[in-house]
Amino acid sequence: MAAHSAVLSMSKIINPFWGGRLGNTVKVFGTTLTSHRNKTLLTPPPAKYGGRHTVTLIPGDGIGPELLNHVREVFRFSCVPVDFEVVNVNSALETDDDMNNAITAIRRNGIALKGNIETKHTMAPSVKSRNNLLRTSLDLYANVMHCQSLPGVQTRHKNIDIMIIRENTEGEYSSLEHESVSGVVESLKIITRNNSLRIADYAFKLAREKGRRRVTAVHKANIMKLGDGLFLQCCREVASGYPDITFDSMIVDNTTMQLVSKPHQFDVMVMPNLYGNVVSNVCAGLVGGPGLVPGANYGNAYAVFETATRNTGKSIAGKNIANPTAMLLASCMMLDHLKLYDHATMIRHAVLKTMNETRLHTADIGGQGTTSEVVQTIMRIIQSGGQLTTEL
Amino acid sequence: MAGKAWRSAILNLLRTWLSGKDKIKAQEVSWAVGAVKKGTPQARTFTRGIQTVTLIPGDGIGPEISTAVMKIFEAAEAPIQWEERNVTAIQGPGGKWMIPPDAKESMDRNKIGLKGPLKTPIAAGHPSMNLLLRKTFDLYANVRPCVSIEGYKTPYSDVNLVTIRENTEGEYSGIEHVIVDGVVQSIKLITEQASQRIADYAFEYARNNQRASVTAVHKANIMRMSDGLFLRKCREAAEKHKDVKFTEMYLDTVCLNMVQDPTQFDVLVMPNLYGDILSDLCAGLIGGLGVTPSGNIGANGVAIFESVHGTAPDIAGKDMANPTALLLSAVMMLRHMGLHGHAKKIEAACFDTIRDEKVRTKDLGGNSKCSEFTEAICQRVRDMQ
């Protein structure tokens, strides 16, 4: 920031004397630095040479490694210019070294694709959830989940289209707990004005970008008057700056009740951390389950993509029955973020075609197919699309 | 079935005595002796004589639905005598808000209560009436059985589960501070005593109502100490009640599975906030708060059964209200008191009337008045005698 202002002041001094030549260089340099300040929320990291991007890959536990292997397979097959830097995190260890390596890798590359890292709650309470640690260290404050009904999947409610924006760093997940007296445990839920304004701003910006008409804030301010009251107040403040978008609020228990009976009334929803957990899982269940919905965690500088409901899937690991859809759609979201739109559209189209037309479903949505069969079908559809691919 | 509890208690005691491994705790012995003496610690039999129950009609549609329930009970010849009381907050000595003393005395005497919807005052200077009642009688467990109503179609059928929610602490402790300007801290309190109490109650309920399994709902991966403590207490209670299956599940997994397949759940026990959200979610599965019963169990044997919907001031006095929620809560009350025969009769009459579709109130999709609906149920009950 100091360099930038110095350069601007320099350009102001130099310009009158040198007019075109040196002043131009300084102006160009200056504009690059100013544009750094006016960065939008979703600026991709610069590509390394050859136009290839490097993305951190964290396999995680359970079904994470196998699904991410499939993602790599599909990317290799489709000649996507992405190289993966694999960082393994061993959830059984008590030290944070693995996590620190992963976080450094993400800081270096700016973008990551991850599976869920298991949190064994038999370990001491001082060993915090690794996933949570990642989100807070990288300040990935917005978790975005787009729940859309897929025509090929049989569900009780049809045509659902809800965007859920969940505050990802504070709230009930601050992991600040203490036992003040033996047998009495206190857990702190922190709500700050800055973070609430930030997430509300993100929600409204996203709503405007996607052409959505309504934003609903989910809260429990009738009971937690100060905490959720502050969140609600921040949302209202931000809403006043977006008169084209309707803003309303709903209490979380009523929200869940409405979601299971009349889900079509919701458009975009914004909420603190814990309610976000509940509501996103309810919505994922409504559209067909944890295997179908991708999720993204955005910060100002970094982005991490994963499945929306963050399941480890221990019980189905290694059995070749997991649903690869969520992870593949998450990787498409990542490609969109990297501005590789063509590849993203191609893979997404193939995934959705497999889901909706060929009706090759895995066990979680009532089918008989295995993961590898689904992935093979997806790759065959990509090949038939006529794009450049490697051998099947 | 309920009698078998004392039998298993004696057998357990004999087993530990003979194995000689663990010392028999004095508490276990007295529990077993008490169980033999009293029958079961939970279900009371009041079949001898008429039982008096405190009735709190409430506000809005409260009085009309209470009258409907009284009429139906009269038609069913249930041995219940009603004592009506009003609860409006009054300020006692020292400025502390409390419920009127005659209401408190009536509840303490009768131990069983039925309550209609109470108005929540905004800026009245005193806390909500529900909160006052909860504190006065230490109503620590909120029990909501959610059973699909055959006549009322929802996208979910065959729902049959019970949510048991800890009602006194957790996220709703109401302890909040502004640390610095723009940073607010809300404290979630979990105590060993309250967790133990609710876990024990959940297993007792499962045993007394022939439920196969209890699932503890938690988020111990994130809130390690607080939900970890709750989970530990549930595990301990599971050890004491080996005849009931115990599982634990994360809150998000429960939500995910609940909307896909609610038939996999039986009894759910959880702390306050999760209970609030999940019990309303389950109510939504069967058709909303207008058809969901609810009961609050307190220390000292007090139990208050209530309808959880609002006061609906816009339809108050117009004979349009749906008494189903209060009626089903009253049926729950009968079961709690051991009057299973009457409970079954009234419940069957209610469900048959709804299934018949001829007389339904507006919220269930019909056009009838509350009085017509009540009369239809009364007629069915009389026919069943």
Side-chain angles (χ1 to χ4, degrees):
Chain A
M1 280 300 143
H4 143 256
S5 47
V7 167
L8 265 187
S9 44
M10 272 279 284
S11 67
K12 284 203 188 79
I13 300 168
I14 289 177
N15 249 346
F17 299 113
W18 298 95
R21 274 164 271 141
L22 204 57
N24 263 340
T25 328
V26 176
K27 239 198 263 178
V28 165
F29 195 43
T31 40
T32 323
L33 286 180
T34 29
S35 72
H36 189 85
R37 191 175 59 174
N38 297 334
K39 232 184 204 181
T40 57
L41 292 168
L42 309 171
T43 313
K48 299 280 175 74
Y49 35 57
R52 295 187 69 82
H53 301 258
T54 310
V55 170
T56 310
L57 189 81
I58 302 173
D61 302 309
I63 51 175
E66 59 188 85
L67 291 182
L68 288 169
N69 275 337
H70 287 303
V71 170
R72 274 195 282 183
E73 214 182 304
V74 174
F75 274 26
R76 236 191 325 261
F77 178 74
S78 322
C79 301
V80 175
V82 167
D83 292 320
F84 285 109
E85 184 189 340
V86 182
V87 184
N88 281 307
V89 175
N90 189 345
S91 58
L93 294 179
E94 297 225 348
T95 57
D96 278 341
D97 288 338
D98 279 351
M99 256 344 269
N100 289 335
N101 287 339
I103 293 171
T104 315
I106 301 177
R107 284 216 167 95
R108 182 171 47 242
N109 296 320
I111 193 163
L113 189 61
K114 78 182 257 291
N116 201 40
I117 305 165
E118 193 194 342
T119 310
K120 291 189 176 62
H121 51 259
T122 46
M123 294 197 282
S126 50
V127 183
K128 307 285 180 214
S129 156
R130 299 268 158 67
N131 304 300
N132 203 16
L133 191 60
L134 201 143
R135 291 191 288 268
T136 46
S137 320
L138 298 170
D139 199 24
L140 302 169
Y141 64 90
N143 178 288
V144 180
M145 182 173 141
H146 189 182
C147 284
Q148 260 177 317
S149 288
L150 298 175
V153 182
Q154 187 75 315
T155 52
R156 289 184 175 90
H157 308 268
K158 313 266 176 236
N159 299 327
I160 295 178
D161 192 352
I162 304 175
M163 287 205 84
I164 297 170
I165 293 148
R166 161 188 175 187
E167 210 291 324
N168 222 1
T169 51
E170 56 171 23
E172 296 81 349
Y173 288 31
S174 356
S175 304
L176 293 164
E177 294 179 302
H178 51 268
E179 193 163 357
S180 36
V181 178
S182 164
V184 177
V185 176
E186 286 185 352
S187 178
L188 303 180
K189 163 181 164 162
I190 312 282
I191 302 271
T192 56
R193 192 176 170 70
N194 283 345
N195 287 346
S196 305
L197 283 173
R198 200 165 58 160
I199 193 70
D201 205 39
Y202 188 92
F204 277 91
K205 272 213 181 79
L206 192 64
R208 186 174 266 174
E209 222 178 285
K210 305 275 176 187
R212 305 291 219 164
R213 307 272 86 232
R214 217 169 119 225
V215 172
T216 309
V218 178
H219 65 96
K220 190 90 192 158
N222 52 342
I223 305 283
M224 287 182 254
K225 298 185 170 68
L226 290 181
D228 285 350
L230 176 61
F231 179 80
L232 203 54
Q233 194 188 357
C234 294
C235 288
R236 287 206 178 102
E237 270 178 44
V238 174
S240 56
Y242 292 81
D244 51 328
I245 299 178
T246 331
F247 171 72
D248 56 1
S249 61
M250 201 183 260
I251 301 184
V252 59
D253 41 7
N254 191 18
T255 310
T256 47
M257 218 180 332
Q258 297 293 326
L259 275 170
V260 292
S261 43
K262 299 190 212 98
H264 303 101
Q265 59 183 295
F266 296 106
D267 194 358
V268 178
M269 299 167 83
V270 62
M271 59 205 90
N273 218 333
L274 183 69
Y275 313 146
N277 190 338
V278 172
V279 172
S280 55
N281 276 278
V282 170
C283 288
L286 290 176
V287 299
L292 297 178
V293 196
N297 304 288
Y298 294 110
N300 279 331
Y302 313 107
V304 175
F305 300 87
E306 53 178 352
T307 61
T309 45
R310 302 170 180 165
N311 300 93
T312 327
K314 268 198 314 275
S315 53
I316 55 173
K319 293 188 188 159
N320 202 16
I321 52 174
N323 196 337
T325 309
M327 198 57 92
L328 282 168
L329 289 177
S331 62
C332 291
M333 282 178 86
M334 181 190 78
L335 291 175
D336 276 331
H337 188 89
L338 288 170
K339 294 201 164 62
L340 296 168
Y341 299 118
D342 292 334
H343 290 278
T345 323
M346 183 174 70
I347 299 175
R348 190 176 289 132
H349 169 79
V351 172
L352 293 177
K353 194 163 176 192
T354 313
M355 177 66 52
N356 298 328
E357 287 177 36
T358 64
R359 304 287 165 130
L360 181 63
H361 291 170
T362 44
D364 61 317
I365 38 180
Q368 310 274 350
T370 61
T371 318
S372 13
E373 276 173 25
V374 177
V375 173
Q376 292 289 315
T377 315
I378 292 171
M379 294 202 286
R380 233 176 287 131
I381 294 177
I382 293 175
Q383 187 174 48
S384 66
Q387 299 265 10
L388 170 72
T389 53
T390 59
E391 261 99 61
L392 192 69
Chain B
M1 251 304 177
K4 283 204 182 127
W6 65 262
R7 253 178 268 161
S8 59
I10 297 288
L11 283 170
N12 270 335
L13 221 48
L14 280 173
R15 250 181 245 124
T16 34
W17 181 59
L18 289 172
S19 68
K21 280 215 197 109
D22 327 287
K23 253 202 266 188
I24 302 170
K25 296 193 191 71
Q27 193 188 30
E28 284 183 345
V29 175
S30 57
W31 191 85
V33 172
V36 176
K37 275 196 182 154
K38 283 186 280 178
T40 45
Q42 202 68 350
R44 265 168 268 257
T45 30
F46 293 106
T47 42
R48 265 179 286 120
I50 308 231
Q51 169 67 10
T52 321
V53 167
T54 309
L55 175 68
I56 301 167
D59 311 305
I61 53 172
E64 355 179 355
I65 54 178
S66 307
T67 325
V69 170
M70 285 200 282
K71 226 185 272 179
I72 295 171
F73 269 52
E74 209 184 296
E77 289 170 16
I80 304 281
Q81 190 184 317
W82 304 100
E83 215 174 80
E84 270 192 54
R85 288 285 181 271
N86 251 321
V87 285
T88 39
I90 58 169
Q91 215 161 9
K96 208 173 121 187
W97 289 98
M98 46 186 235
I99 64 171
D102 60 337
K104 183 170 189 315
E105 180 265 339
S106 165
M107 247 344 270
D108 283 334
R109 193 177 3 103
N110 297 327
K111 300 284 186 199
I112 311 277
L114 186 66
K115 172 176 118 13
L118 289 173
K119 214 168 27 194
T120 308
I122 307 175
H126 64 81
S128 79
M129 290 315 305
N130 292 310
L131 187 61
L132 269 182
L133 278 170
R134 209 174 296 147
K135 288 225 152 69
T136 316
F137 300 108
D138 197 16
L139 301 172
Y140 65 90
N142 178 285
V143 182
R144 223 183 258 192
C146 294
V147 183
S148 282
I149 298 181
E150 271 181 64
Y152 188 42
K153 275 243 136 282
T154 57
Y156 300 89
S157 47
D158 304 327
V159 179
N160 188 356
L161 52 90
V162 182
T163 56
I164 297 179
R165 158 194 175 189
E166 207 290 325
N167 222 357
T168 56
E169 53 172 28
E171 298 81 351
Y172 292 11
S173 45
I175 311 171
E176 292 186 294
H177 326 280
V178 180
I179 306 180
V180 286
D181 188 29
V183 179
V184 175
Q185 159 188 310
S186 205
I187 295 188
K188 162 179 165 162
L189 200 66
I190 299 277
T191 56
E192 199 174 325
Q193 192 201 11
S195 306
Q196 185 174 359
R197 204 164 52 163
I198 192 72
D200 282 334
Y201 179 75
F203 280 95
E204 286 303 324
Y205 182 89
R207 196 179 262 170
N208 294 335
N209 290 278
Q210 292 90 49
R211 309 296 300 208
S213 70
V214 172
T215 307
V217 181
H218 65 97
K219 265 219 88 66
N221 53 346
I222 303 286
M223 287 178 259
R224 308 289 284 284
M225 288 175 78
S226 33
D227 282 354
L229 174 59
F230 178 80
L231 210 52
R232 258 201 320 277
K233 290 293 148 196
C234 287
R235 285 189 190 130
E236 281 173 27
E239 288 299 309
K240 281 190 265 171
H241 300 82
K242 287 245 159 71
D243 49 335
V244 180
K245 190 161 128 6
F246 173 69
T247 44
E248 33 191 81
M249 217 185 235
Y250 288 131
L251 173 66
D252 39 8
T253 316
V254 172
C255 287
L256 192 59
N257 292 340
M258 183 75 76
V259 292
Q260 295 183 281
D261 181 24
T263 56
Q264 58 186 285
F265 296 106
D266 195 354
V267 177
L268 299 163
V269 63
M270 56 211 121
N272 216 334
L273 176 67
Y274 313 152
D276 193 5
I277 300 176
L278 269 182
S279 56
D280 276 4
L281 179 65
C282 297
L285 296 176
I286 62 168
L289 296 179
V291 293
T292 310
S294 171
N296 298 293
I297 311 294
N300 307 320
V302 172
I304 302 184
F305 298 86
E306 60 174 354
S307 58
V308 279
H309 53 72
T311 51
D314 45 339
I315 57 170
K318 294 187 187 157
D319 200 17
M320 285 167 66
N322 183 354
T324 309
L326 193 62
L327 185 62
L328 290 177
S329 305
V331 166
M332 212 177 139
M333 177 186 81
L334 287 172
R335 289 214 166 92
H336 179 92
M337 300 190 327
L339 295 164
H340 296 282
H342 291 94
K344 217 186 273 185
K345 226 177 4 186
I346 298 175
E347 194 183 37
C350 180
F351 285 167
D352 285 341
T353 313
I354 295 177
R355 192 184 346 185
D356 210 16
E357 292 187 35
K358 284 204 212 94
V359 261
R360 277 195 191 181
T361 46
K362 191 143 176 284
D363 59 318
L364 292 177
N367 269 317
S368 307
K369 290 192 201 288
C370 174
S371 43
E372 287 168 13
F373 184 69
T374 315
E375 190 46 49
I377 300 181
C378 290
Q379 191 55 43
R380 267 183 217 270
V381 166
R382 272 182 231 121
D383 292 341
M384 281 191 209
Q385 304 280 38

